[in-house]
Every structure is written in structure tokens, then in C-alpha cells.
Amino acid sequence: MSVRPHPFFSGALYARKSCFVYVPEGYDQGEERYPVIYLLHGMYQSESNWLLKGNAEQTLDRMMDEGTLRKCIVVMPNDGGYGTGTFYVNWYDGTGNFEDYMLYDLVGEIDKAFRTIPDREHRAVCGLSMGGFGAFSLALRNPEVFGAAVSLSGALTSTELIGPQYARSDISRMIGPLNGPYAQSLDLQKLAEHRLHDAHPPALYFHCGTEDYLYSMNEAFHAHLNRIGYTHRYETYSGEHNWDYWTGHLARSLSFMDSFFAAPKNP
């Protein structure tokens, strides 16, 4: 197995970007194509954090050696590199098209440069904290691109849960007027409601530590999905909002995506 840096150009951001790409054992010797997992970082972080702090490479090696995770390509991108975090969305104020960067620059580049299976049934996205929001937002807004999404301690917010911090942070720059159509188009609860009409809505799995400051937010999203009848998997564990929790629960998250790849596909 190996991790390699992969530079590319983003037309959405008009900038040079780089990600880390994990390829499975035997990749360079064969012609096989592989499913792809996108592994997203949180606020104040970068594309290297899953490797340097989350032991992602070691976890992937171990699970593939054990046969508990099929051979796949794992991409660890930057969120776009603006401010303290972009939340992987296009910003209302025009600061940057960070969702377009993910969808059209990054995914397109990976499918071109690596032997992927380039369809939603073999593409999943997973993230921690801000990246948990990004994973669910990307999948729920673009179910033709990502068939499954996983959140670890995610900021799974709704406009109804945004309080006084709205006026004191970058949130208003990201989503615009709180009750406006753009903010509503990024509301995870409303996005889940829209996907209920789809034949195959994204498979969702999320978990959170019971001592995490985002625990109540995860509980609220779980309750909302139950109310509207969106099939999902949600679990809670002891733990805080830190790398001990994310490192310890990465394997569980990867197992869910492996199960999604293995599931029979409906026409």
C-alpha cells in the first residue's frame, strides 16, 4: 500500500491544489478498477491530518490485510484552504466555490488520474466535524455523485439550530440570509426531506461521542430522520471531540462504506 501526494489545478477556485491518495497493494501492477472513499478533514485542519493524527494509513493497511475492507482508493483532500474552514460549500458572498471544487475538480481529477469505478455505487464520502457536515451535504445535494456518506462527530446543523453565533461568524458569509433560499438549500434536515422522493437516496451513517459538544446536534438530526422516515444508521459512544475518538472509530466508519460497496445494487 502507498500514500502519494497528487497535485492538480482547480478551475472552480483558480488555484493549484493537492490531495493525498491512498492506493491499495498491487495497484501499480494490475489493471483492476477500485471503489473510492473521500476522507474529509475538520476546521483548522488540512489534507494531512487524517494521516498525521488519525492513523488513516495504518488503519487502511490493517483492514485490507485482514480482509475487513475491500481494496479501494482513499482520497484525502483539502477543503479549499480558505479561512478556518469552508464547510465544503459554495459561499453565498462569492468568496469561493468550494463545493464545485470538490465535485468537478477533485472528483473529476481522481477519476481521470486513477483507476476508479466512476459511479455513485462505488463512491462514498466520509468526514469528521466540519467534514461530517461536508460529507452529508455533498451526498444529499449530489446523490448522483456519492452513494453513501459517513459523519464522525459531525456539525450536522440545520438553520433552525443556528443561534447568536450567526452574526458573529463566517456563517452569514457562507449561507446568506438565514431564512433565504440559499441557506435553506444547505440545510441538512431539508435536504434529507428532498431525498425521500429519490429511488435511491444516499446511505447515511453517523456517530458521535456522548461527551462531544456536538452531541445534541447529532441527536437532533437523528430524531429528524426518524420523524421523516429516512432510513439511516446512528450510534453513540463514550468520547469527546478529539483525535482519540476519530482515530478509534475510523475503522467502524470504513466498515459501513465497505458494506455499501458490497450491497446488491437495485436497477
Side-chain angles (χ1 to χ4, degrees):
M1 294 77 162
S2 70
V3 174
R4 53 192 69 173
H6 185 77
F8 63 100
F9 177 75
S10 166
L13 301 179
Y14 194 67
R16 289 168 290 157
K17 293 296 175 182
S18 181
C19 60
F20 288 102
V21 181
Y22 175 102
V23 296
E25 184 177 12
Y27 177 86
D28 292 323
Q29 289 73 48
E31 297 297 327
E32 183 179 354
R33 290 187 170 272
Y34 299 93
V36 186
I37 293 172
Y38 288 84
L39 201 54
L40 310 183
H41 65 76
M43 288 184 70
Y44 309 103
Q45 298 177 9
S46 73
E47 63 271 30
S48 64
N49 280 90
W50 270 115
L51 295 171
L52 297 179
K53 295 186 176 182
N55 295 331
E57 183 177 9
Q58 294 88 338
T59 299
L60 291 165
D61 285 348
R62 174 178 55 80
M63 293 182 70
M64 290 188 197
D65 283 342
E66 294 171 347
T68 54
L69 176 66
R70 70 195 55 237
K71 290 185 177 181
C72 58
I73 295 168
V74 180
V75 182
M76 288 157 275
N78 187 278
D79 69 333
Y82 182 77
T84 59
T86 70
F87 279 78
Y88 305 89
V89 301
N90 295 340
W91 280 32
Y92 178 83
D93 73 351
T95 297
N97 297 316
F98 304 109
E99 179 180 327
D100 290 350
Y101 147 72
M102 293 291 296
L103 289 175
Y104 307 121
D105 293 325
L106 177 65
V107 172
E109 173 67 20
I110 296 301
D111 285 344
K112 177 182 177 181
F114 295 88
R115 295 196 313 275
T116 68
I117 305 175
D119 60 47
R120 72 178 301 275
E121 305 296 346
H122 298 89
R123 191 185 293 122
V125 58
C126 170
L128 66 88
S129 192
M130 176 188 77
F133 173 90
F136 276 21
S137 175
L138 286 166
L140 289 169
R141 284 172 54 84
N142 307 279
E144 74 284 357
V145 178
F146 298 102
V150 176
S151 166
L152 298 79
S153 314
L156 305 182
T157 189
S158 165
T159 55
E160 295 180 0
L161 301 177
I162 297 175
Q165 73 271 26
Y166 172 74
R168 302 196 303 266
S169 69
D170 284 339
I171 296 174
S172 60
R173 296 179 58 198
M174 293 181 195
I175 68 176
L178 200 57
N179 296 311
Y182 193 73
Q184 301 302 304
S185 75
L186 296 174
D187 186 307
L188 293 183
Q189 292 189 7
K190 291 178 172 58
L191 286 169
E193 292 171 14
H194 294 326
R195 294 280 76 84
L196 284 175
H197 304 295
D198 294 354
H200 307 296
L204 300 182
Y205 169 46
F206 57 112
H207 55 81
C208 190
T210 52
E211 292 77 43
D212 194 306
Y213 73 94
L214 295 179
Y215 174 69
S216 61
M217 191 175 289
N218 282 258
E219 287 281 293
F221 191 61
H222 168 56
H224 179 75
L225 294 183
N226 279 339
R227 280 196 300 272
I228 66 174
Y230 194 119
T231 300
H232 64 288
R233 179 176 164 190
Y234 172 61
E235 295 168 344
T236 62
Y237 302 93
S238 176
E240 300 179 12
H241 201 80
N242 56 33
W243 279 106
D244 285 341
Y245 182 88
W246 302 322
T247 301
H249 291 80
L250 176 58
R252 182 173 285 107
S253 305
L254 293 168
S255 293
F256 177 85
M257 291 179 280
D258 184 74
S259 297
F260 168 75
F261 295 143
K265 309 306 179 189
N266 296 318

